[in-house]
């Protein structure tokens, strides 16, 4: 029998192509033959990479050997037992995770009950960050978590000496933004599951460690809403750079409210809020199969030669040349839209009672207000949550402006929004028309969404948001809503929306809105509820509060946990 080292070089390379990526670190140390086979062999590293990870959309830009080595180093770092032994590796982990997601699959089969494809890269990252020590070391390092853990003190009587050689940094120095805080917040947003306790690896989770009140203090602080930030989740320097700590706070507030209401167990929310790295990479949105409406099925059964006058009229409608021309124009617009705007989106809006909101921002004497750079106190007064269905179509595509990212056009949309939790809510039911909604790139390449809610022909509410994961990701959009006139006294708050279907046909009344979610519901029926159980556990330490009933009355329909039926 021939030894492995006596095989022809092409056969030896083929055999080595099936080893684990980490094995390529020690195999060259066995003998000179294996050393020369592995060392600098970019084609071997290419085979090993493609056998273990997703095929990148752009293979020409990959340095295969370095890519494999980076992933192995990521695994080695994250396998360390203690968070303090790996937290200094955050910059490397941040760049490697972003690279893995940027090179994740976009052409594989869709994961059941989701709107994104299967990805070995995402599965790897989900397994890595399931570890609570990795969550602490890399996902919970923003200023917000430092405040919640007491690592950053903001009391006025603890200002420190402020000198470079002093033992205690000044208050301004402690609150100065640091790059690793933005990196950690961005990683947390890509992870996609809100970590609602300040210390994930702590065995004891109490009310004191809840992140919700600290996140609310950031999201509802009107000082965050300025012209320089576009009143959205952007840096306060007029550069349009995304402030990922603001986005993280928005995700925490909405995630906490969804869990408090039990909505995170509904299929339309669970797959977007309780599944790690669920579609947080570019071009990964995959449409669910469209369930035909009763009207569509009736027309298909009867056909243009049906005996009823209604079916004949419907057939004539389909043959209307003007309608066909409109359909062709709409199809042309959608083909030119790189963002995948047209479809049905589910939106969540959270807000405080205005008296609580006003007291939080303006209560007390002027000399008792915190300095501009000092965070406000945590607030825990209860919030309201609205579920809103949005149906939008792209209406216009135009070249980017001088302040936009130049790689993609600006797309405008219009449509409607309908409240799902009240029969009528004048703040939720509206038209989104004409130039009152747009999607564009920022100068750093992030996807920026602007929406206007219109009532009686006038703009009332506006939102500025960013899409998590990039262009046409499946994860969705996080941002801030506020008064369209930029009222300095508010109100304002967090919002999120994500695409659930490519279907945009207007449903026949509120009771028919369930039709819009049937693809997700049907896809979910065969998925067990235990799949996301480890992500759905209550992280906020409210063990002494009863869990709400998992039932929500929406427009006369009782939405239950369908997977339990």
């Amino acid at each position: 029998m021939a030894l492995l080292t006596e095989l022809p070089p092409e056969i030896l390379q083929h055999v080595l192509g099936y080893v684990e990526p980490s094995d390529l670190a020690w195999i060259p140390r066995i003998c000179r033959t294996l050393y020369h086979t592995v060392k600098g062999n970019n084609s071997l590293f290419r085979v090993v990479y493609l056998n273990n990870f997703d095929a990148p959309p752009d293979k020409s830009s990959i340095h295969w050997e370095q890519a494999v080595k980076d992933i192995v180093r990521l695994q080695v770092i994250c396998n360390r037992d203690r968070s303090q032994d790996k937290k200094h590796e955050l910059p490397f982990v941040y760049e490697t995770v972003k690279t893995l997601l940027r090179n994740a699959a976009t052409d594989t089969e869709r994961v059941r009950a989701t709107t994104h494809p299967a990805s070995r890269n995402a599965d790897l990252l989900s397994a890595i960050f399931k570890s609570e020590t990795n969550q602490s070391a890399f996902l919970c390092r923003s200023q917000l978590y430092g405040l919640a853990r007491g690592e950053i003190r903001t009391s006025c009587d603890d200002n420190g000496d402020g000198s470079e050689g002093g033992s205690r940094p000044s208050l301004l120095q402690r609150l100065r933004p640091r790059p690793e805080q933005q990196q950690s917040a961005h990683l947390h947003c890509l992870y996609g599951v809100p970590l609602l306790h300040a210390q994930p690896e702590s065995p004891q989770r109490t009310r004191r460690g809840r992140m919700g009140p600290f996140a609310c203090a950031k999201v509802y602080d009107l000082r965050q809403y300025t012209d320089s930030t576009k009143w959205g989740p952007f840096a306060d320097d007029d550069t349009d750079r995304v402030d990922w700590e603001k986005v993280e706070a928005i995700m925490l507030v909405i995630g906490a409210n969804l869990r408090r209401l039990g909505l995170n167990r509904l299929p339309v929310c669970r797959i977007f809020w309780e599944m790690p790295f669920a579609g947080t990479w570019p071009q990964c949105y995959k449409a669910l199969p469209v369930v035909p409406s009763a009207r569509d099925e009736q027309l298909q059964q009867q056909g243009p030669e049906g005996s009823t006058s209604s079916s004949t009229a419907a057939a004539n409608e389909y043959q209307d040349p003007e309608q066909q021309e409109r359909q062709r124009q709409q199809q042309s617009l959608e083909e030119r839209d790189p963002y995948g705007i047209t479809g049905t989106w589910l939106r969540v809006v959270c807000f405080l009672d205005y008296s609580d909101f006003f007291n939080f921002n303006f209560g007390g004497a002027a000399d008792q207000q915190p300095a501009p750079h000092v965070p406000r106190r945590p607030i825990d007064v209860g919030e309201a949550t609205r579920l809103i269905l949005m149906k939008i179509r792209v209406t216009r595509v135009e070249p980017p402006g001088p302040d936009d990212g130049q790689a993609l056009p600006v797309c405008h949309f219009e449509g409607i929004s309908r409240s799902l939790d009240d029969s009528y809510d004048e703040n939720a039911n509206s038209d989104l028309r004409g130039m009152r909604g747009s999607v564009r790139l920022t100068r750093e390449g992030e996807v920026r969404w602007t929406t206007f809610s219109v009532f009686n022909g006038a703009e009332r509410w506006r939102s500025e948001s960013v899409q998590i994961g990039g262009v046409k990701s499946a994860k969705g959009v996080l941002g801030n809503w506020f008064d369209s006139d930029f009222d300095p006294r508010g109100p304002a708050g967090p919002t999120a929306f994500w695409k659930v279907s490519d279907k945009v046909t207007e449903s026949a009344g509120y009771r028919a809105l369930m039709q819009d979610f049937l693809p997700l519901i049907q896809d979910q029926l065969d998925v067990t509820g235990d799949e996301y159980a480890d992500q759905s556990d209550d992280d906020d330490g409210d063990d002494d509060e009863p869990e709400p009933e998992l039932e929500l009355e929406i427009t006369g329909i009782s939405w239950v946990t369908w997977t339990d039926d």
Side-chain angles (χ1 to χ4, degrees):
M1 179 181 293
L3 297 175
L4 180 66
T5 54
E6 295 175 348
L7 296 174
E10 61 274 13
I11 297 179
L12 177 58
Q13 177 168 317
H14 179 78
V15 171
L16 293 179
Y18 291 95
V19 303
E20 292 294 323
S22 57
D23 294 338
L24 292 178
W26 60 264
I27 287 177
R29 302 176 186 176
I30 296 176
C31 66
R32 182 174 300 177
T33 299
L34 293 177
Y35 174 84
H36 288 294
T37 301
V38 175
K39 183 68 173 179
N41 190 342
N42 203 44
S43 61
L44 171 60
F45 281 92
R46 178 183 184 274
V47 173
V48 172
Y49 185 102
L50 295 178
N51 282 340
N52 289 274
F53 311 110
D54 293 334
D58 182 11
K59 298 183 180 65
S60 62
S61 62
I62 304 297
H63 188 286
W64 301 104
E65 181 175 357
Q66 189 61 49
V68 171
K69 290 181 177 179
D70 286 346
I71 296 174
V72 172
R73 180 184 171 189
L74 173 69
Q75 293 173 307
V76 170
I77 291 171
C78 292
N79 283 335
R80 296 171 186 167
D81 293 331
R82 303 188 304 168
S83 60
Q84 55 264 41
D85 294 335
K86 48 191 170 184
K87 60 193 305 183
H88 64 282
E89 300 277 9
L90 175 58
F92 170 79
V93 172
Y94 173 68
E95 293 297 335
T96 305
V97 169
K98 287 203 306 178
T99 300
L100 276 169
L101 291 175
R102 186 169 57 247
N103 293 325
T106 59
D107 56 355
T108 55
E109 290 294 323
R110 180 177 58 83
V111 177
R112 190 170 182 82
T114 73
T115 56
H116 64 82
S119 168
R120 290 185 287 183
N121 291 10
D123 290 343
L124 170 66
L125 293 175
S126 297
I128 287 175
F129 286 98
K130 187 176 182 180
S131 164
E132 293 175 343
T133 60
N134 289 331
Q135 294 173 6
S136 293
F138 305 119
L139 305 183
C140 301
R141 297 272 300 282
S142 65
Q143 186 181 95
L144 205 61
Y145 281 88
L147 290 169
R149 290 191 293 262
E151 298 171 355
I152 303 175
R153 302 182 66 86
T154 60
S155 57
C156 297
D157 57 349
D158 186 24
N159 285 326
D161 50 37
S163 61
E164 293 186 5
S167 59
R168 291 186 304 153
S170 68
L171 179 60
L172 182 60
Q173 290 171 332
R174 292 198 300 269
L175 294 174
R176 182 176 298 153
R178 298 194 300 272
E180 59 266 26
Q181 294 172 337
Q182 287 288 320
Q183 292 172 350
S184 176
H186 193 183
L187 279 181
H188 191 183
C189 293
L190 293 172
Y191 178 70
V193 180
L195 300 174
L196 299 179
H197 197 272
Q199 296 176 313
E201 58 183 326
S202 173
Q204 296 180 348
R205 299 185 178 183
T206 63
R207 285 178 174 271
R208 188 175 182 180
R210 290 185 304 154
M211 290 303 303
F214 292 89
C216 285
K218 190 174 187 68
V219 167
Y220 292 111
D221 186 355
L222 273 175
R223 299 176 302 170
Q224 304 284 334
Y225 298 78
T226 67
D227 292 339
S228 297
T229 66
K230 307 296 186 293
W231 284 57
F234 302 103
D236 196 8
D237 55 10
D238 209 24
T239 62
D240 293 340
R241 290 185 299 108
V242 175
D243 186 334
W244 290 108
E245 291 189 271
K246 291 183 181 179
V247 181
E248 178 187 51
I250 293 167
M251 182 179 71
L252 288 169
V253 170
I254 295 177
N257 285 327
L258 291 177
R259 292 188 190 182
R260 176 176 56 85
L261 296 172
L263 298 178
N264 64 312
R265 295 197 176 183
L266 298 178
V268 292
C269 295
R270 177 169 60 191
I271 61 177
F272 296 96
W273 287 89
E274 301 295 340
M275 186 175 179
F277 298 101
T280 53
W281 61 93
Q283 305 295 336
C284 71
Y285 173 79
K286 279 188 173 291
L288 289 157
V290 176
V291 177
S293 65
R295 177 176 180 274
D296 294 335
E297 292 179 345
Q298 182 181 9
L299 290 173
Q300 185 177 9
Q301 291 174 0
Q302 292 180 345
E305 298 180 357
S307 58
T308 65
S309 59
S310 60
S311 63
T312 303
N316 292 335
E317 178 184 350
Y318 282 116
Q319 296 173 358
D320 183 2
E322 293 184 2
Q323 183 181 13
Q324 291 178 356
E325 179 60 26
R326 286 195 299 268
Q327 290 175 347
R328 282 194 293 268
Q329 292 176 357
Q330 183 65 38
Q331 184 178 0
S332 175
L333 285 171
E334 292 172 7
E335 290 173 351
R336 294 161 54 198
D337 164 29
Y339 307 105
I341 295 173
T342 299
T344 298
W345 299 68
L346 183 62
R347 185 169 198 164
V348 178
V349 175
C350 300
F351 55 93
L352 295 175
D353 181 89
Y354 186 71
S355 61
D356 294 328
F357 180 86
F358 188 88
N359 289 332
F360 174 67
N361 283 281
F362 305 107
D367 58 355
Q368 295 178 348
Q369 293 291 320
H373 62 279
V374 177
R376 293 192 183 275
R377 68 186 187 282
I379 179 174
D380 188 13
V381 295
E383 301 163 76
T385 301
R386 287 283 186 272
L387 290 178
I388 300 172
L389 186 74
M390 299 197 313
K391 295 187 177 184
I392 55 179
R393 293 180 183 272
V394 61
T395 58
R396 183 155 52 91
V397 180
E398 62 185 22
D403 295 329
D404 302 322
Q406 301 299 303
L408 294 176
V410 176
C411 294
H412 299 267
F413 60 85
E414 66 177 28
I416 62 168
S417 64
R418 293 288 182 262
S419 173
L420 293 181
D421 51 353
D422 283 307
S423 59
Y424 179 75
D425 182 350
E426 65 175 5
N427 289 309
N429 301 327
S430 72
D431 290 333
L432 305 171
R433 299 195 180 280
M435 296 179 62
R436 297 169 189 179
S438 64
V439 188
R440 67 193 70 212
L441 291 183
T442 66
R443 281 169 284 188
E444 66 173 350
E446 299 293 341
V447 183
R448 173 185 172 187
W449 286 69
T450 302
T451 68
F452 291 90
S453 296
V454 181
F455 302 88
N456 298 323
E459 297 171 357
R460 183 165 183 178
W461 306 115
R462 174 173 175 163
S463 73
E464 291 288 348
S465 312
V466 295
Q467 188 158 356
I468 308 302
V471 177
K472 212 172 182 179
S473 70
K475 182 61 180 178
V477 180
L478 292 172
N480 301 102
W481 66 266
F482 48 90
D483 186 273
S484 62
D485 294 327
F486 305 99
D487 190 332
R489 290 182 175 269
T495 185
F497 49 96
W498 57 93
K499 194 173 186 179
V500 296
S501 173
D502 282 341
K503 178 181 171 65
V504 291
T505 304
E506 174 64 0
S507 300
Y510 289 105
R511 293 183 180 276
L513 289 175
M514 179 69 82
Q515 181 75 23
D516 300 307
F517 297 101
L518 282 179
L520 271 178
I521 298 169
Q522 288 184 341
D523 230 21
Q524 187 76 16
L525 290 177
D526 295 334
V527 180
T528 63
D530 296 335
E531 183 175 350
Y532 309 121
D534 54 340
Q535 283 89 35
S536 301
D537 292 340
D538 188 7
D539 285 342
D540 58 8
D542 291 344
D543 295 335
D544 55 340
E545 293 185 4
E547 185 175 345
E549 293 293 331
L550 296 180
E551 183 173 306
L552 180 67
E553 288 294 330
I554 300 181
T555 66
I557 302 173
S558 179
W559 283 28
V560 298
T561 310
W562 298 292
T563 54
D564 294 340
D565 292 345

